[in-house]
Amino acid sequence: MVAAVARKRLPQPSSDTPSFETDVLEGLRATPKQVPAKYFYDAAGSHLFERITELPEYYPTRCEMKTLREHAADIARLVPQGAALVEFGSGSSKKARILLRAAPKLAAYVPVDICGEMIEQEAIELRADFPQLKVLPVTADICNPFDLPDEAKAAPERIGFFPGSTIGNFEPHEASAFLRNAANILEAGAKLIIGVDLIKPVEVLNAAYNDAAGVTARFNLNLLTRINRELGGTFRLNTFEHHAFYNRERHRIEMHLASLKRQKVKVAGETIEFRAGETIHTENSYKYSAESLAALARGVGWLPAGSWTDARKYFSIQAFTFAG
Ligand code: AVI
């Protein structure tokens, strides 16, 4: 097993990929100020995210793993003989392993991730652990069109897998675009299994993004450290504060970095002014109901094929079939 922390990469729907500098400067010139959440995940940010998933307050990862384990046999019934499992944003393939174990009918596993190095390394271990399975990694941005390997295209059916509620970090129109892109890649008759964080009491949501140990705050503030390091920024971290709260109207957790005073900061040679209390909006994490996700999916041709949740109904695994 490799000791390195699996580096999480959050893709952003976009045909051309602007640079970190362009995105940060454009975001800091805008009103309100914002920086795309995908930039959280440098090495330190990926490590902090791994720690978040283990926090007592951050329930999503534990709930999803438990639900996958408890219902693996049921979920595996969706898998026809010889099918290919295509995981969007596979990272360390930890969750896929649960399905691979439960569904020996799978002939191929296609981990797709923007971080090629990580999935190639993971593929070596998967081939050793699942000798009957063809492991066919693809390095790609999951929000853009990409080609599947021929063996996966030739499979009688392709089943998409998108766990982790990563869909919650997309704006709703981006989530629709992702679902449409997934349908095009997986083709007619495909299925899609998605993990999504559910709407729940606001105290539970707020606690999950305001942990007592302050790890989520460090994860948020690490964005400023990254800007300082990579873009010659002059952010003083003790003059910014982590703010995270549930926006009931928009069904989302918002994360911000609030300036504690009026100040000027330099980024890539440009001066950015902050009012006292002004924030940089760094992340949205949308929460769905089973119905609202199904409605979004139906809008682009995916029809419900199954739904599983934990005892507290905190997190949901939903399956869809593509109707075309
Ligand atoms: C990766 N993503 C699903 C996490 C979430 O809950 O939206 C990222 C995160 N942000 C703060 N804590 C965790």
Side-chain angles (χ1 to χ4, degrees), residues 201-324:
V202 67
E203 310 75 50
V204 180
L205 287 166
N206 282 333
Y209 294 82
N210 290 285
D211 59 286
V215 182
T216 310
R218 283 167 57 198
F219 172 72
N220 200 5
L221 284 158
N222 178 60
L223 191 58
L224 303 184
T225 308
R226 181 174 184 186
I227 294 173
N228 285 351
R229 187 182 59 241
E230 295 183 27
L231 304 178
T234 61
F235 283 104
R236 276 168 300 143
L237 267 64
N238 58 359
T239 64
F240 284 84
E241 199 171 67
H242 165 71
H243 282 188
F245 56 89
Y246 187 59
N247 179 330
R248 285 175 195 266
E249 285 74 43
R250 308 187 81 164
H251 307 295
R252 68 189 194 195
I253 286 281
E254 293 186 12
M255 292 218 310
H256 296 255
L257 289 164
S259 176
L260 295 174
K261 57 179 199 169
R262 191 172 162 203
Q263 59 177 313
K264 290 181 185 172
V265 175
K266 279 211 158 193
V267 176
E270 190 165 322
T271 303
I272 311 288
E273 297 194 17
F274 287 87
R275 287 176 279 106
E278 186 177 2
T279 76
I280 309 172
H281 191 166
T282 51
E283 186 182 59
N284 286 323
S285 187
Y286 283 86
K287 308 304 169 190
Y288 285 87
S289 63
E291 297 72 29
S292 64
L293 184 71
L296 188 85
R298 192 176 291 112
V300 290
W302 289 103
L303 301 180
S307 179
W308 301 270
T309 188
D310 50 290
R312 293 178 298 184
K313 298 192 170 28
Y314 275 10
F315 200 95
S316 169
I317 313 277
Q318 298 205 40
F320 300 95
T321 305
F322 190 61

Side-chain angles (χ1 to χ4, degrees), residues 86 110 112 138 146-153 158 185-186:
V86 179
V110 184
V112 185
V138 171
F146 60 85
D147 267 338
L148 288 177
D150 289 343
E151 281 153 299
K153 280 190 196 159
R158 281 149 300 282
I185 289 161
L186 299 170

Side-chain angles (χ1 to χ4, degrees), residues 8 41 49 52 58 164-166 169 209 216 219 255 283 285:
K8 183 164 185 65
Y41 301 95
F49 179 68
I52 287 174
Y58 193 78
S165 203
T166 303
N169 295 124
Y209 294 82
T216 310
F219 172 72
M255 292 218 310
E283 186 182 59
S285 187

Side-chain angles (χ1 to χ4, degrees), residues 26-200:
E26 272 178 15
L28 294 180
R29 283 179 204 133
T31 312
K33 292 179 169 54
Q34 54 199 289
V35 173
K38 64 177 174 179
Y39 294 120
F40 279 139
Y41 301 95
D42 64 353
S46 301
H47 184 70
L48 286 165
F49 179 68
E50 283 297 311
R51 289 190 53 199
I52 287 174
T53 64
E54 288 155 14
L55 291 168
E57 298 94 334
Y58 193 78
Y59 59 84
T61 313
R62 272 186 306 279
C63 284
E64 184 175 38
M65 293 289 281
K66 190 163 188 284
T67 307
L68 275 173
R69 281 195 198 101
E70 281 179 9
H71 300 283
D74 212 13
I75 299 169
R77 274 190 260 282
L78 294 169
V79 177
Q81 189 65 43
L85 184 73
V86 179
E87 182 172 7
F88 294 90
S90 54
S92 66
S93 299
K94 208 163 129 190
K95 292 162 189 166
R97 280 173 176 272
I98 300 173
L99 295 186
L100 296 177
R101 258 180 247 117
K105 286 190 270 182
L106 281 166
Y109 171 55
V110 184
V112 185
D113 203 288
I114 204 150
C115 186
E117 208 182 306
M118 179 171 62
I119 53 172
E120 290 294 345
Q121 181 58 45
E122 195 55 43
I124 295 170
E125 290 170 29
L126 283 161
R127 286 181 195 119
D129 295 345
F130 299 89
Q132 314 303 334
L133 190 73
K134 291 218 164 77
V135 182
L136 311 164
V138 171
T139 304
D141 178 342
I142 58 164
C143 291
N144 287 325
F146 60 85
D147 267 338
L148 288 177
D150 289 343
E151 281 153 299
K153 280 190 196 159
E157 197 176 290
R158 281 149 300 282
I159 299 171
F161 184 43
F162 193 38
S165 203
T166 303
I167 197 163
N169 295 124
F170 296 159
E171 292 304 306
H173 73 277
E174 295 169 340
S176 287
F178 166 80
L179 293 170
R180 200 173 300 116
N181 189 43
N184 290 337
I185 289 161
L186 299 170
E187 296 178 354
K191 297 191 185 88
L192 182 59
I193 299 164
I194 303 186
V196 70
D197 196 14
L198 295 174
I199 295 167
K200 60 184 61 62

